[in-house]
Amino acid sequence: MDLNRYFSILKSLPEKVRLVAVSKTKSVEEINLLYTHGQRIFGENKAQELKEKYELLPKDIEWHFIGHLQTNKVKYIAPFVSMIHAVDSLPLLAEIDKQAAKHHRTIPCLLQFHIAQEDTKFGLDLEECDTLLRNPQCSIFKHVAIHGVMGMATYTDNTTQIKQEFKTLATIFNHLKSNYYKDKDYFTEISMGMTDDYLLAIEEGSTLVRIGSAIFGTR
Ligand SMILES: *Cc1c(COP(=O)(O)O)cnc(C)c1O
């Protein structure tokens, strides 16, 4: 763990940008050490691993689920998860709504967009998203709240391309805000930026950066 890097990242973040410390594959001891230094938001991408860590660690941690979530795994995290970053289908949204209702919760979610020029990454395009949000089923969900958007840029050295992809996500955010969420004060989040590109993401309007290896070391 690189605590100096952690503190220098924290210092570099503008006031409105929050840090999700991505702790996937890392031990509860490592997470607890960062917790003792004040970090409260952690990100994980495996539902069962997240549930086990939740049970062992302090209860004021905000756990963010950041990866692709299968519908049959939602039940493991629904009782406690603070935000689900990567919602990209109506069936997934429906399952989150159903599981959240069981626990009398409303779960904040982000819609994931495919902004990279790589076909391995999950996510919606704008047309698919408009179709999803116009589906009447969507408006009956009472236990999910869409707080914004999430995306991952292409893994490349080409900073012009990365910036362009982040710009695209910011434009999508603005489109959704004005077309669907104008009166929703909580629709505020743009989750973009990781270890290699978070500074570019911040320049383009990120509000949540998801940083793992810079803090915890390589996985
Ligand atoms: C692993 C992961 C990260 C963190 O990546 P680093 O390059 O280690 O900072 C961020 N977002 C998602 C969705 C991830 O799966």
Side-chain angles (χ1 to χ4, degrees):
M1 171 132 38
D2 189 341
L3 283 173
N4 288 331
R5 185 84 191 271
Y6 168 68
F7 287 118
S8 81
I9 290 169
L10 273 189
K11 238 193 249 161
S12 74
L13 299 183
E15 205 182 342
K16 65 174 180 77
V17 182
R18 293 185 297 156
L19 170 64
V20 179
V22 176
S23 51
K24 61 192 186 194
T25 77
K26 299 299 170 180
S27 68
V28 292
E29 288 78 15
E30 288 168 288
I31 297 170
N32 205 36
L33 178 58
L34 204 58
Y35 175 90
T36 63
H37 288 280
Q39 182 64 27
R40 289 296 177 272
I41 310 177
F42 290 88
E44 292 280 338
N45 69 346
K46 297 237 160 41
Q48 277 125 314
E49 182 177 339
L50 172 50
K51 181 178 190 290
E52 286 165 22
K53 287 174 173 174
Y54 163 75
E55 281 162 4
L56 295 167
L57 283 155
K59 292 299 170 282
D60 63 338
I61 288 179
E62 268 186 52
W63 291 104
H64 287 214
F65 192 88
I66 60 167
H68 179 66
L69 180 57
Q70 291 170 270
T71 50
N72 62 350
K73 304 282 172 67
V74 175
K75 60 177 180 282
Y76 297 117
I77 62 172
F80 64 88
V81 71
S82 289
M83 183 171 277
I84 297 176
H85 281 233
V87 175
D88 62 359
S89 77
L90 194 61
L92 178 57
L93 209 52
E95 178 65 12
I96 296 169
D97 185 67
K98 180 177 147 193
Q99 296 297 334
K102 284 188 188 168
H103 301 281
H104 313 287
R105 304 187 65 217
T106 297
I107 298 181
C109 295
L110 305 178
L111 295 169
Q112 182 178 9
F113 284 86
H114 184 277
I115 53 170
Q117 267 168 14
E118 289 165 356
D119 43 70
T120 52
K121 294 198 173 144
F122 296 97
L124 302 158
D125 62 30
L126 195 48
E127 195 184 324
E128 290 166 335
C129 181
D130 280 323
T131 306
L132 188 160
L133 294 176
R134 287 196 195 115
N135 188 313
Q137 205 197 334
C138 215
S139 61
I140 64 169
F141 297 147
K142 294 286 179 285
H143 298 272
V144 290
I146 307 290
H147 281 224
V149 300
M150 178 268 199
M152 290 165 86
T154 305
Y155 188 70
T156 173
D157 293 334
N158 184 342
T159 55
T160 311
Q161 182 183 348
I162 295 170
K163 268 180 93 82
Q164 193 50 54
E165 291 172 358
F166 288 151
K167 261 191 216 315
T168 300
L169 189 60
T171 303
I172 290 170
F173 172 87
N174 289 329
H175 166 84
L176 297 181
K177 179 82 188 165
S178 52
N179 285 283
Y180 300 96
Y181 299 104
K182 217 185 262 157
D183 58 344
K184 299 283 190 271
D185 292 344
Y186 55 76
F187 190 86
T188 54
E189 303 290 1
I190 304 179
S191 167
M192 59 184 184
M194 312 177 13
T195 289
D196 291 332
D197 57 19
Y198 74 92
L199 290 171
L200 296 171
I202 289 169
E203 285 174 27
E204 299 309 325
S206 174
T207 64
L208 282 168
V209 290
R210 311 177 308 269
I211 300 179
S213 38
I215 299 168
F216 289 104
T218 50
R219 290 178 293 272

